[in-house]
Amino acid sequence: MTEPWPKEHIPDDDLLYVRVLKDDIDEEGIPEPRVVRNHVDQRGIAAMSTAWSRYARPQDTLQRARRRPPADYGVISLNVGMVRRIPYHSVEHDPVFNEPEDPLKPNNRAHTNVSGPKSPKEPGGDVKIRALYIAVSRSCGWAIDPRAQ
C-alpha cells in the first residue's frame, strides 16, 4: 500500500489557486465576494478548498471541476502570506489521499484548506473579510481568466 502524502508547511511566497465560475465575476472581470466561502467536508471541517502551487498548475485546478465543465470556470491566484494576514484565517496543506482512489474525490496532493470565517452568516464573518480576499486576488491576478475561455 502506498503511504499518503505528509502535510507540509506552505511558504508565504507561494500561491493558492481557486476555481471561480464565469457567473461569479462582474462586468469588470472582478470575482464577486460570494466566491470566498467555506465548504464543510466529510470530516466536518469548514474551509475554503484551494490548490497549492507547489503541486498544482492553474490548469490542474480547472480540470478538477466536477459540477460543471472546466470551460465554465476561471482560476484566481491568492498569495499565501497575504491570506495569512487576513484576521482569524489560516492556511493548512491538507492532501487528499484514498487507497483505492475515490473517483468522486480523486487524490490531490495540492489540496489546501483556508480556514476562518468568511461569510457574514458565520460567527466572526464579515463582508470586510471577503473584500480582503478579493483585494488579494486582484493583486495576484487571474491564473486563468474565464473571459478568455
Side-chain angles (χ1 to χ4, degrees):
M1 179 171 130
T2 308
E3 291 298 314
W5 302 293
K7 289 186 179 193
E8 300 176 52
H9 172 75
I10 301 176
D12 282 350
D13 290 338
D14 285 6
L15 295 173
L16 301 173
Y17 300 125
V18 180
R19 266 187 319 279
V20 176
L21 272 169
K22 286 180 180 180
D23 300 347
D24 290 338
I25 63 170
D26 68 17
E27 60 281 345
E28 296 173 16
I30 299 168
E32 297 285 351
R34 67 179 169 262
V35 306
V36 179
R37 62 183 175 270
N38 290 329
H39 300 278
V40 179
D41 69 13
Q42 70 275 11
R43 299 168 296 174
I45 296 172
M48 184 169 66
S49 181
T50 68
W52 180 13
S53 62
R54 176 174 289 175
Y55 296 115
R57 297 169 301 131
Q59 190 65 29
D60 299 327
T61 302
L62 196 64
Q63 294 304 317
R64 288 188 176 279
R66 292 188 305 273
R67 293 189 182 128
R68 291 180 49 183
D72 287 353
Y73 294 87
V75 177
I76 57 173
S77 301
L78 301 173
N79 171 270
V80 173
M82 293 171 80
V83 169
R84 285 187 172 130
R85 287 191 286 279
I86 295 173
Y88 313 111
H89 284 75
S90 62
V91 175
E92 182 183 4
H93 183 222
D94 186 37
V96 174
F97 184 87
N98 295 298
E99 183 67 38
E101 187 168 14
D102 179 353
L104 297 176
K105 190 162 178 66
N107 292 344
N108 181 358
R109 189 171 187 179
H111 184 260
T112 299
N113 282 326
V114 178
S115 301
K118 295 170 186 70
S119 165
K121 296 177 183 177
E122 296 174 273
D126 190 315
V127 294
K128 293 176 187 171
I129 290 173
R130 285 181 161 176
L132 289 171
Y133 274 96
I134 298 306
V136 170
S137 77
R138 290 187 74 186
S139 72
C140 297
W142 286 100
I144 299 175
D145 190 328
R147 297 165 298 167
Q149 298 242 50

